[in-house]
């Protein structure tokens, strides 16, 4: 898989779209307003893009090399993946309107700690353009997918959330191993 493909896969697994959908569907029993999905996309993408552009400054402030941060990011993502496998999708109350779009839809579902770790490490390793493109693709697809499937009964979604949690663990272990080899 190419560099952009791996970046998309990593951000996709870190966000875990089935878990986002399950969380929204648990809290909201009707279809989302398109404005809510749009606000969530803009806010979630803005947070992740800010992290992308601040990656070098962030690593410098923590006095970390990209290889060392790769290990840390892998640990954060592995713990998140394990939480998805063990506990399933998270549960947050969702308010109506733009407040619900910001919390929990944009943050912490779209812009999750694992997603922040993913964009920071990929930006430090592969550069900002690739990470920006991958982030916009994934966040747009997840926002549109959650909008389209919100309010529908989807019994397979929690199972898919656990499977994607396993994929996140696989990619996280790969990051840790790459980081250890590079150090």
């Amino acid at each position: 898989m190419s560099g952009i493909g791996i970046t998309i896969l990593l951000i996709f697994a870190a966000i875990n779209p089935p878990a986002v959908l399950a969380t929204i569907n648990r809290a909201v029993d009707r279809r989302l307003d398109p404005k809510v999905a749009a606000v969530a996309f803009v806010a979630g993408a803005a947070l992740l893009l800010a992290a992308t552009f601040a990656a070098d400054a962030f690593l410098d402030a923590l006095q970390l090399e990209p290889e060392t941060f790769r290990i840390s990011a892998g640990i954060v993502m592995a713990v998140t993946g394990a939480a998805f496998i063990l506990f399933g999708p998270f549960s947050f109350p969702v308010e109506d309107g733009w407040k619900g779009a910001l919390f929990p839809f944009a943050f912490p579902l779209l812009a999750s700690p694992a997603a922040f770790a993913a964009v920071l490490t990929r930006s430090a390793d592969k550069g900002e353009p690739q990470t920006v493109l991958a982030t916009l693709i994934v966040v747009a697809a997840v926002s549109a997918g959650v909008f389209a499937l919100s309010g529908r009964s989807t019994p397979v979604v929690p199972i898919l959330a656990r499977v994607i949690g396993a994929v996140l663990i696989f990619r996280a272990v790969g990051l840790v191993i790459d980081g250890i080899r590079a150090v």
Side-chain angles (χ1 to χ4, degrees), residues 32-57:
L32 285 179
D33 182 357
K35 292 176 189 171
V36 169
V39 168
F41 163 72
V42 169
L47 289 168
L48 292 175
L49 293 176
T52 298
F53 291 117
D56 290 336

Side-chain angles (χ1 to χ4, degrees), residues 109-124:
L109 295 176
L110 292 176
S112 67
F116 278 116
V119 298
L120 285 167
T121 193
R122 291 307 281 182
S123 180

Side-chain angles (χ1 to χ4, degrees), residues 9-10 12-13 81 85 161-173:
L9 176 64
L10 186 62
F12 181 87
I85 290 171
R162 286 181 161 94
V163 169
I164 292 177
V167 170
L168 182 58
I169 291 173
F170 300 149
R171 288 300 313 143
V173 170

Side-chain angles (χ1 to χ4, degrees), residues 62-148:
L62 294 177
Q63 297 181 350
L64 292 172
E65 295 297 320
E67 298 81 8
T68 308
F69 186 75
R70 198 178 305 142
I71 297 168
S72 303
I75 292 169
V76 168
M77 287 185 264
V79 168
T80 302
F84 283 127
I85 290 171
L86 295 173
F87 307 113
F90 303 117
S91 183
F92 294 102
V94 177
E95 292 187 41
D96 288 333
W98 65 270
K99 288 182 182 179
L102 295 178
F103 180 84
F105 197 175
F107 177 81
L109 295 176
L110 292 176
S112 67
F116 278 116
V119 298
L120 285 167
T121 193
R122 291 307 281 182
S123 180
D125 288 342
K126 300 297 181 186
E128 293 166 354
Q130 183 182 102
T131 308
V132 167
L133 179 61
T135 299
L136 290 174
I137 289 169
V138 172
V139 174
V142 174
S143 299
V146 169
F147 165 71

